[in-house]
Amino acid sequence: MGINTAPEIPADFPGKVIPAGNGANVVITSLDQIINWGRSNSLWSLYFGTSCCAIEMMQTGAARHDYSRFGFEVARPSPRQADLIIIAGTIVNKMAPVLRRLYDQMAEPKYVIAMGACAISGGPFYYNTYSVVKGADHVIPVDVYVPGCPPRPEALLEGMLMLQAKIRTESMKNKVFPIDGFDEGL
Amino acid sequence: MTNEALQNLISTWISDPETNGLEFTEEKSQFLNITVQPEHLHQLMTQLKNNSETSFDYLFCLSGVDWGKELGVVYHLESTVHRHIIVVKVKTEDRENPTFDSVYDIWATAEFHEREVFDFFGIKFKNHPNLKRLFLTEDWDGFPLRKDYVDEINMVIK
């Protein structure tokens, strides 16, 4: 979303033009705050549990830890309705294209949490395996990494709150899409 | 039936067990282990299933193994009547074209187990109805659970 900061003023323009610096920025940053407040407090995650981390993720959603307190609310079975994908488990070579397709099907803005050792680096399957992807960030861009094997629900909650904090720093003026240039390794 | 009784019974089935390559061990195992030559496998398995004293009607595990030198298959059998368990092993040193008889006609569950073993170890099963890749893609090259499998792109060796 580009903002023209130096509009052309016709020479015979009778009035006074206030440059779209301060005034416009006030509007934009206030809008940013409202939008970020909305986005960060209603992150709906996609069901994506490929192994044991999914059990901890379910526990994080269940009554004791209850991530809907922080606006994570419900998990969605469709990527079209999801803002967030929590990669909870091992990604194997056969699953990688599926993960990428799910990510591509999600609507912007979209966020990714890599939960647990497998999603971060392949974890216990890093060495001597023919089938495991060594980190989900080989497939899609990741915003927050939550270490652990598996991480406790508190750790996942911490990661989710960090993602919220990250979203609150966004501005539509210099918003970049993490997938841009990802495949080229930029 | 105890392991010892099983061993005594099965030795009577085959004349001269030692020259016919039948080996019994119990070392480091709670079950009786029998190693059998590939050519006697199907006959022994049929007998283990059909004999009313053994009546091993449940094949609860069928695994492929690469011992480094030999390739083989390990069958875990249980009897739901007598509640005893036995382990049957079969090996071959032929790594180019390892072939055993299918036990699919004795225990139908072996159909998928044998496909899995074929998929990962390249062990072929004679008379199997549908021997093709199960988990890996059709165009996969090689058999990844063999000890000598090499994949320089995906594997980090330690």
Side-chain angles (χ1 to χ4, degrees):
Chain A
M1 195 178 286
I3 298 159
N4 190 359
T5 47
E8 261 182 53
I9 305 161
D12 55 347
F13 185 67
K16 186 183 167 196
V17 175
I18 301 166
N22 292 334
N25 280 353
V26 167
V27 175
I28 296 296
T29 44
S30 312
L31 261 181
D32 273 342
Q33 277 176 8
I34 293 168
I35 291 169
N36 290 344
W37 170 77
R39 279 179 183 165
S40 63
N41 288 310
S42 69
L43 282 165
W44 289 8
S45 66
L46 178 71
Y47 287 118
F48 193 81
T50 43
S51 47
C52 34
C53 279
I55 305 296
E56 296 297 302
M57 185 175 67
M58 293 171 215
Q59 167 67 3
T60 318
R64 183 175 287 264
H65 297 92
D66 188 19
Y67 58 36
S68 57
R69 289 179 294 159
F70 304 104
F72 292 90
E73 216 55 54
V74 283
R76 297 270 94 187
S78 162
R80 307 282 186 199
Q81 301 165 349
D83 309 293
L84 165 68
I85 179 166
I86 300 175
I87 306 170
T90 322
I91 306 297
V92 292
N93 288 335
K94 252 179 139 176
M95 196 66 189
V98 181
L99 173 62
R100 180 56 187 257
R101 191 192 306 156
L102 286 170
Y103 180 80
D104 287 340
Q105 283 176 337
M106 286 163 68
E108 287 280 357
K110 50 193 171 186
Y111 303 97
V112 180
I113 293 178
M115 177 186 183
C118 294
I120 293 172
S121 68
F125 309 109
Y126 185 81
Y127 291 112
N128 304 332
T129 176
Y130 62 96
S131 60
V132 175
V133 175
K134 277 83 183 169
D137 50 9
H138 289 284
V139 186
I140 55 174
V142 174
D143 293 286
V144 176
Y145 297 85
V146 181
C149 189
R152 279 193 56 86
E154 292 91 330
L156 179 61
L157 268 183
E158 168 91 12
M160 292 167 112
L161 295 179
M162 279 171 76
L163 178 65
Q164 288 189 334
K166 182 180 176 180
I167 292 169
R168 290 199 193 98
T169 64
E170 279 179 358
S171 160
M172 61 170 121
K173 206 174 157 191
N174 43 27
K175 168 85 181 158
V176 285
F177 297 109
I179 198 69
D180 290 346
F182 177 77
D183 292 329
E184 292 77 41
L186 301 177
Chain B
M1 204 182 273
T2 62
N3 288 349
E4 203 177 336
L6 274 173
Q7 179 171 347
N8 290 336
L9 177 67
I10 293 164
S11 334
T12 62
W13 291 351
I14 293 178
S15 59
D16 207 359
E18 271 167 34
T19 48
N20 279 313
L22 207 61
E23 262 178 62
F24 297 94
T25 49
E26 250 181 277
E27 206 182 343
K28 296 179 196 164
S29 167
Q30 59 175 315
F31 309 128
L32 177 66
N33 286 248
I34 308 180
T35 309
V36 65
Q37 293 298 314
E39 57 270 25
H40 299 301
L41 173 73
H42 197 270
Q43 186 216 338
L44 176 72
M45 291 304 218
T46 315
Q47 219 158 352
L48 286 172
K49 165 84 181 284
N50 294 336
N51 189 299
S52 60
E53 281 181 88
T54 50
S55 145
F56 285 105
D57 50 2
Y58 177 30
L59 172 68
F60 71 89
C61 190
L62 189 163
S63 6
V65 182
D66 184 353
W67 278 283
K69 200 171 153 204
E70 309 112 321
L71 283 168
V73 181
V74 179
Y75 305 81
H76 284 70
L77 307 174
E78 183 170 6
S79 167
T80 57
V81 184
H82 306 299
R83 286 291 164 200
H84 50 211
I85 291 174
I86 201 171
V87 180
V88 179
K89 294 179 184 174
V90 63
K91 302 177 184 182
T92 176
E93 288 194 12
D94 180 6
R95 295 182 73 88
E96 290 300 309
N97 195 22
T99 311
F100 301 115
D101 289 320
S102 171
V103 294
Y104 152 77
D105 52 335
I106 308 171
W107 299 280
T109 184
E111 181 184 350
F112 275 82
H113 284 117
E114 287 177 350
R115 272 181 71 182
E116 185 190 0
V117 171
F118 169 71
D119 202 0
F120 290 126
F121 292 93
I123 296 171
K124 297 187 188 70
F125 293 93
K126 251 182 277 174
N127 304 324
H128 190 281
N130 186 24
L131 198 64
K132 58 179 188 186
R133 294 262 188 206
L134 178 62
F135 294 111
L136 303 176
T137 50
E138 293 285 328
D139 55 348
W140 191 282
D141 194 25
F143 303 104
L145 290 195
R146 285 197 187 188
K147 297 288 181 199
D148 51 7
Y149 180 76
V150 189
D151 182 344
E152 286 174 352
I153 297 166
N154 290 311
M155 281 173 83
V156 182
I157 303 294
K158 190 183 184 185

